[in-house]
Each structure stands twice: as structure tokens, then as C-alpha cells.
Amino acid sequence: MNDITATNAPEAARKGHGSLLVQDARTKARNAAETRFRRLGLVAVSVGMLALVGLLGSILSNGLSSFKQTYIEVEVFLDPAKLDKTGTGDLAQIAKVSTFGYAPLIQAAMLTAAQEAGVDTSALKPKALGAMVSKEAPATLRNYVLKNPDKIGETVAFSLLANGRIDGYFKGRVTMDSAALDRNVSPEQLVIADELKAAGVLDTKFNWAFFTAPDASDTRPEAAGLGVAILGSIYMMLIVLCLSLPLGVAASIYLEEFAPKNRFTDLIEVNISNLAAVPSIVFGILGLAIFINLVGLPQSAPIVGGLVLTLMTLPTIIIATRAALKSVPPSIRDAALGVGASKMQSIFHHVLPLAMPGILTGAIIGLAQALGETAPLLLIGMVAFVREYPAGPPDGFFDPAAALPVQVYNWTQRGDPAFVERASGAIIVLLVFLILMNIAAILLRRKFERRW
């Protein structure tokens, strides 16, 4: 056959017929177009991967340092002459000593630690030496004394946060040249910091407080943490999960299995599709108008944030659930009805278990989308500066709180470079939460997946 085709190929070409061995112009153009499309697709994928790598690289390079923090190990003498002037041990009198009263104790402890380490501090005044410690340190000492008033008069070892500039120096964010132009740190302080680090007085270690501490003021970036924001996000996700999942699944089952097909249900379906495409800030305006102005719920509370995010997540869950219900073959319903099951039994005993992987996947993707939303939370006041932890549920749902994406927004608005580092670290934490939620969606889908 090949020999015949090869022999007759020139004759077929002369007669105007195509040959299987010779590509005509049309075939060449089609093959060239396919090759170009493949190359363009490869270029598009490569550009997308490069953009992703660049984005992750930027976030990791700026944010990984936030998981480490510089601490100064000192022994502080809790002078009773300053902390308990009456000598009675009365906690009410001790509480009257403000954080300013603890600053001299920190300065003396720093001077003693430097002298014991053999570090020459003559180039710095005691106040400048004490300024190497974070402004959070006096509050740390005061809280310790109020909890342990019996320790007054003793020398207690503390691990105190270093100043943000000192911490930034060991992370490469601050240099000798920049310190010469910075009023918050001096090159002499950096030189002494190097000597203290060599002597073991100053150390950089993992920053557990980044996950547990509340936010801090603009002058104490080294003390800022995600504790309140993480707790606020968890509270909101609990509200969204408890409201959006049952409401979304119930609405989907009714619309897909029980609702009559008429203009009213068509209108509902169109509105659900439209709500899924509405910008999230519109839901924030709705939450502000209804839940805060009309109902009177407190601003910056997880209950309001959870309700707003529930409204935003419901269309996504309804659409995903309906798609999962449609994917179940009609023969499953017919077989259940054929053996005597009722409509309700056929749905809840047969259709719903088979649609469960798609339902769970849609619900978790909706929760992940809600976790990363910022715009609606800004409108309901969750941008407020909150240092107090919300109480346990259910009372904590009505206490002021922050959220992870809003905390990122807050930190990027502050001028200190240390807050930019904190913001990148918070983005990493948020991405980890999102990755874990997507992994959970994949695992649940595989666990409940059934084949028919």
C-alpha cells in the first residue's frame, strides 16, 4: 500500500488530488497555527509561574524575618524604693507606679549587664543605653510585678524585647549609614549591640509572640503580634460555617430538587448568580446599614463580620452545591424511587451522600474566600486598633476584634519599616491558613468520593 501511494503521489499531485505524504499549503498553515498556539500557551504558563514565584519570593524575603525577634537577657533589681514606697506591699499602691517608674530599673539593668559582659558603654548615656530595649519592656515589668508583688526587692531575670531598630540591624534592615541619619538609633548603639550579642546578652530567636501578642502602637513595632487578629478570624469563620453551610445546602436542595420551574424560581436563580459577582465592598455597605445602623450590633465585632461574610459566601456555596447535585446521575434518584423510597429519602439517603464531595469543596473554597476578604470588614469598623483579646464564645462574638487581612492593611499603612516586615509575615500566616483549607477540601473530596 505504501509503495503504491509513493509511486502514484506525483501523478495524484498532477491531477489536483492531495497526497498523504505531501503537505499542502492549507495543512502547513494549520500545523503552523497549532505550533504557535502551543508556544503561546507555554509562554503564558511560564509568565504566570514567574509572576507567582516573584510574588512568593517577595513575600518570603520580606516576611520570614518577622518570625524571629531580638531579645536582651538582663537581670532587673525590683527596687522597693521605687515600686513600693510605702513598704506595706499594698497592691493598690504598687499599681500607682506607672511604666515611667520602671524605666530607671531597665537602664540600671542594662548598664549592669554590659559591665558584667565587659562592654564599654562610656560612649552612651544611661538613657540611650536603656533605649536599646523596647518601649514595651516597662509594661512587661509592671505586669510581672502586679502579678508577683512578693518579688519586689529581688533580682529577677527577664528576656526583654530589643528596640525595633536594634532588631532591624540584625535582620539587615538597618545599617550604620542609615543609623547615622535616624533619630531612633545611633551607630554607637549598634556597636554596643554587636558586643552584647558576642557576649550572649543579646540573642535573636524564634518569635512565638508574633502569633499570640496583640497589636502594638507605632512606636513599638517589635511588640506587634497577630493574636487578636487570629482569634477574630477564627470567630468569624465559625459564624460563617455555622450559618452559610446549612442555609446554602438547604436552599440548594430546595431549588434543585423541590422548587417548581417557573418565572419566580428563575428570578431567584438569576439573582443568586448576580450576587456571586457583586463586589465584596457592597456587602460591607449592606452590613453597615443593616447590622450596625438598623439592628444596633457593635462595630468591629466578629458577629457583624461573620454575618457580612455569610451573606457574601452564600451564593458561592449555593452554586457549588447545585452543581454537585446536578452531577449525580438521574438513575440514582429513579432507582431509589423505584424501590419505594420517598422523594425526601431518595435525596437525603442517596443523592446527598454522592454530592457531598462537591458540597464540601464548595463550602471550604467559600470559607477560604471569606477569610481573605478585607473591604467589607473595613466598612464595619474592624480596622480599629484593638489590644484586648475577645472573650470566649458566645460573648466573644460581640467583643471588639481584628482580622488577619485587616491587620495586614493596618500594618502597611504605618511608617516604620518594621511594620512592613510584620505585614509580610501576616500574609505568610494567611497563605498558610488558605493552603491548609484547600488541602482539607482535597482530602475531604477524596474521602467522600464515590463512583457509580
Side-chain angles (χ1 to χ4, degrees):
M1 182 67 183
N2 292 338
D3 295 339
I4 296 174
T5 304
T7 303
N8 296 334
E11 182 179 356
R14 287 193 302 270
K15 292 181 179 180
H17 300 290
S19 172
L20 296 177
L21 301 179
V22 179
Q23 293 185 354
D24 56 11
R26 188 175 179 181
T27 304
K28 290 180 179 180
R30 185 175 59 189
N31 293 340
E34 182 179 351
T35 303
R36 285 195 302 270
F37 181 78
R38 289 182 177 179
R39 291 176 179 175
L40 287 175
L42 182 60
V43 169
V45 172
S46 301
V47 170
M49 292 299 297
L50 288 175
L52 178 61
V53 170
L55 176 63
L56 293 178
S58 175
I59 294 173
L60 293 176
S61 62
N62 292 326
L64 285 177
S65 56
S66 63
F67 298 104
K68 290 186 177 181
Q69 195 67 38
T70 303
Y71 291 85
I72 301 177
E73 310 292 337
V74 293
E75 294 184 349
V76 182
F77 175 61
L78 304 178
D79 191 355
K82 294 184 178 296
L83 306 181
D84 187 15
K85 296 180 180 180
T86 62
T88 59
D90 185 9
L91 190 60
Q93 295 296 323
I94 296 173
K96 291 183 178 180
V97 181
S98 66
T99 54
F100 294 103
Y102 289 82
L105 304 182
I106 296 174
Q107 295 176 12
M110 284 292 295
L111 182 60
T112 302
Q115 291 174 349
E116 292 178 352
V119 177
D120 182 15
T121 60
S122 58
L124 287 181
K125 296 180 179 180
K127 185 176 181 180
L129 185 63
M132 295 176 62
V133 183
S134 170
K135 293 182 179 180
E136 182 77 8
T140 302
L141 263 64
R142 185 174 184 272
N143 293 335
Y144 177 82
V145 170
L146 293 179
K147 290 181 179 179
N148 305 277
D150 57 308
K151 296 292 184 179
I152 295 178
E154 300 181 9
T155 300
V156 182
F158 287 93
S159 181
L160 302 177
L161 286 168
N163 179 280
R165 295 295 195 275
I166 302 297
D167 177 63
Y169 172 65
F170 292 105
K171 294 177 179 178
R173 192 173 60 246
V174 177
T175 62
M176 290 290 181
D177 294 334
S178 65
L181 304 174
D182 194 342
R183 63 174 182 168
N184 295 316
V185 70
S186 65
E188 292 78 13
Q189 287 176 315
L190 298 183
V191 171
I192 291 179
D194 281 328
E195 296 179 1
L196 291 176
K197 186 176 182 65
V201 177
L202 190 148
D203 187 24
T204 300
K205 51 189 177 183
F206 190 80
N207 184 19
W208 288 107
F210 183 63
F211 303 97
T212 58
D215 194 9
S217 64
D218 292 349
T219 59
R220 298 173 296 158
E222 64 280 352
L226 292 171
V228 175
I230 291 176
L231 196 57
S233 292
I234 292 175
Y235 280 3
M236 287 192 299
M237 290 302 103
L238 287 175
I239 294 172
V240 174
L241 180 63
C242 293
L243 292 179
S244 63
L245 185 60
L247 289 176
V249 173
S252 302
I253 292 175
Y254 176 76
L255 290 174
E256 190 63 32
E257 302 292 343
F258 293 99
K261 304 302 179 182
N262 51 37
R263 292 184 178 180
F264 180 70
T265 56
D266 291 341
L267 179 63
I268 293 177
E269 293 178 4
V270 170
N271 286 329
I272 291 174
S273 301
N274 289 336
L275 285 174
V278 169
S280 59
I281 195 169
V282 176
F283 290 97
I285 297 173
L286 179 65
L288 177 63
I290 296 179
F291 300 128
I292 295 179
N293 295 337
L294 183 61
V295 181
L297 293 176
Q299 290 187 1
S300 190
I303 183 66
V304 181
L307 291 174
V308 171
L309 296 178
T310 296
L311 294 178
M312 191 191 71
T313 308
L314 266 176
T316 303
I317 294 180
I318 291 175
I319 293 173
T321 303
R322 294 193 65 184
L325 293 173
K326 288 180 181 178
S327 66
V328 178
S331 57
I332 301 294
R333 299 174 177 83
D334 297 338
L337 295 174
V339 295
S342 65
K343 179 76 171 179
M344 185 76 71
Q345 289 174 330
S346 67
I347 293 172
F348 285 92
H349 295 174
H350 301 278
V351 177
L352 198 59
L354 294 177
M356 191 60 67
I359 295 173
L360 293 176
T361 301
I364 294 177
I365 290 176
L367 290 175
Q369 178 189 2
L371 179 63
E373 285 295 336
T374 307
L377 302 182
L378 296 178
L379 290 178
I380 62 173
M382 296 202 77
V383 71
F385 179 80
V386 181
R387 277 195 52 88
E388 298 296 328
Y389 291 92
D395 295 336
F397 293 146
F398 298 87
D399 292 338
L404 279 174
V406 176
Q407 193 66 71
V408 173
Y409 172 81
N410 277 338
W411 284 344
T412 55
Q413 301 303 305
R414 301 183 186 179
D416 197 305
F419 281 113
V420 178
E421 173 194 86
R422 286 290 198 273
S424 298
I427 292 174
I428 294 174
V429 174
L430 184 59
L431 288 177
V432 169
F433 273 107
L434 295 176
I435 291 172
L436 291 177
M437 293 178 73
N438 281 278
I439 291 175
I442 295 172
L443 294 178
L444 288 173
R445 187 178 185 88
R446 291 184 177 180
K447 179 178 177 62
F448 291 101
E449 187 173 16
R450 299 183 184 181
R451 300 189 181 275
W452 47 76

